[in-house]
Amino acid sequence: MAQEIVRAGVLGQAALALADGFARVLLEKGLISQADYVRGFDLAAGEWEAALDHPQQTEVLAALKKIHPSQG
């Protein structure tokens, strides 16, 4: 069981990194604004804050806080 949780956590972190990387590319290409990027990031973080029963919530929120984009 513990191995399944670790794998899920690793996959979740990889998905977050991929999504953030994609958003950064859109930002660099001028397809979204910095404000839109931050707003989307904050929406995702809010969903993780609400995921009280998820076993990786604490780790994901800590990771999100480390990479949180600035407003400008």
Side-chain angles (χ1 to χ4, degrees), residues 8-60:
V10 170
L11 290 175
Q13 290 176 13
L16 284 171
L18 182 62
D20 186 57
F22 183 68
R24 289 176 190 254
V25 168
L26 293 176
L27 178 64
E28 289 172 8
K29 299 279 184 186
L31 299 172
I32 62 172
S33 68
Q34 179 72 18
D36 288 337
Y37 173 49
V38 172
R39 189 172 24 262
F41 194 97
D42 289 342
L43 285 172
E47 289 300 315
W48 274 103
E49 288 172 2
L52 300 176
D53 59 344
H54 194 283
Q56 300 295 318
Q57 181 196 35
T58 303
E59 292 85 358
V60 171

